Amino acid sequence: MMPAHHRQWTRDFFRLVVAILAGLATQTMPAEELLDRMDSQRPKYVEIAAKIWRWAEVGYREVQSSSLLADELEAAGFEVQRGVADIPTAFVAEFGQGKPVIGILAEYDALPGMEQEAVPAKQPLKSNKAGHACGHHLFGTASTWAAITVKEQMAAKKIKGTLRLYGCPAEEGGSGKVFMVRAGLFNDCDVVLHWHPGSENRAGLETNLANISGKFRFRGKAAHAAGAPHQARSALDAVMLFAHGVDLLREHVPQETRLHYVITNGGNAPNIVPDFAEVYMYARHPDPKTLDGIWSRIEKCAEGGAIATETTRSLELVGNTANLLPNDALARLLDTHLRAVGGVTYSAEETQFAETLRPSLLRPELPPLTEASQVKSVSEGQRYGSTDVGDVSWAVPTGGFSTACVFPGVPMHSWQAVACGGTSIGHKGMTNAAKTLTLATLQLLTEPQQVAAARESFEKRREGKSYQTRFPKSQGPALNYRDSGVAP
Ligand SMILES: [Zn+2]
């Protein structure tokens, strides 16, 4: 065995060589030094993420969360435009000028009814408060952290180009980015990078599902449910017929279709026939055109429900997002940097937290916790979620990746994900994401051939096709979409 001081010397020498090589490659501060510096800044960004996690503001209501990130960027020297695309909680922070224009996406909305403390046991439901079950507090914070770090490097090394951070509200159902794309905010952008918290470290070459969502509302006539039922027309009956129609429809749609709904208003009391009822419906499919056809059949279910119950119906389109267009060149680039940064290893305390939480998960064959320490290889295929990053990816070459912010086996949109996101388990994944974004953005700013390769991959995958949202020009974002069940 080597004496300790020899080992230290060897390690230092190796780090120096790596640093010089990395420094030559990116013409900026050596990567090792840069990453060490980011480690020293970690407490500051953990505090920001913890605040956003605690506030847990839902889509289009992210007043404090978006302000906090925008303020940080402004203080760091970015020019910040707030309230872009007619959305109060959307913003664009910019630094530098000229080409290339590299954008980083940030999200910060929480999910309704998902409140949970950072403890490994489900808490009794005390309120209907929101919670960060998709880790967007980490998403927004890591992206902001990366943007500020890259900006410092640009200023110090006189790197040319424009760096932009897009503050994107209401990813969870509100389609915030769709309206930002429509407002032309991405028109001059060369490349966009994003990431997402998950249970593994992996650069993404996968696609997902296009999505249409909306609220079907029915109006009837109220009367005493026992005394004068013949004088009433039940809006709830219309919702139930609609839902039954959708459930039968499941058998007659293509295999990859996903249909789900919640009844957001089913009346107030059993002895009043409800004169208002609302159902919030989602439909998804890999192909937007096929999805359009499925959605028109869902509208027929609503029509049928209304006819049979002699109620009237209306539909508010709430969300519509494209399937993600993967980018081969950017997936390779992100994979390289993700590998340089590495995975996550858990401390004894974090392992204890994970082991306490594990029995609450339904999956019998949970992967080992050590999986989080690996960076998995880029894989192509179909995923079954949706995101409004999809619309961005059809407008600009877009690359993404995930880092382990919950331990392996924890599904997103669960109370377990909220719990992990409030601990150092989530903060470690966030740090890795910030580092990966930083290294990748610096390379894109300094190597024009990387931007060109991203464009080439984009054109190849696009095959001359383009994507157009079904939101009519006259319709803006549904800023009140989280006020579910309230008759407008
Ligand atoms: Zn998400």
Side-chain angles (χ1 to χ4, degrees), residues 418-456:
V418 186
C420 289
T423 69
S424 53
I425 294 173
H427 301 146
K428 281 184 172 175
M430 172 183 86
T431 307
N432 285 2
K435 289 176 173 177
T436 306
L437 283 172
T438 298
L439 297 178
T441 307
L442 282 170
Q443 195 177 359
L444 285 161
L445 282 166
T446 51
E447 295 179 18
Q449 67 272 28
Q450 299 293 343
V451 175
R455 168 58 62 175
E456 199 181 311

Side-chain angles (χ1 to χ4, degrees), residues 116-175:
Q116 164 71 32
E117 286 297 322
V119 294
K122 175 139 179 59
Q123 286 173 292
L125 208 62
K126 281 177 292 190
S127 66
N128 201 31
K129 266 194 72 184
H132 271 289
C134 207
H136 294 183
H137 62 301
L138 306 169
F139 187 158
T141 306
S143 297
T144 300
W145 184 1
I148 291 173
T149 310
V150 172
K151 182 253 151 190
E152 285 165 2
Q153 293 296 297
M154 289 173 77
K157 312 280 173 182
K158 306 218 177 333
I159 298 170
K160 290 202 185 80
T162 306
L163 172 66
R164 240 180 242 158
L165 182 122
Y166 290 91
C168 306
E171 187 277 334
E172 298 287 356
S175 298

Side-chain angles (χ1 to χ4, degrees), residues 107 109 111 133-136 139 171-172 195-197 386-387 412-413:
E107 293 174 7
D109 61 322
L111 282 154
C134 207
H136 294 183
F139 187 158
E171 187 277 334
E172 298 287 356
W195 75 285
H196 201 285
S386 308
T387 169
M412 302 313 279
H413 294 203

Side-chain angles (χ1 to χ4, degrees), residues 325-346:
L325 188 71
N327 190 292
D328 305 74
L330 291 173
R332 276 194 299 273
L333 178 101
L334 288 166
D335 178 64
T336 308
H337 293 298
L338 192 54
R339 281 174 197 286
V341 169
V344 175
T345 45
Y346 298 124

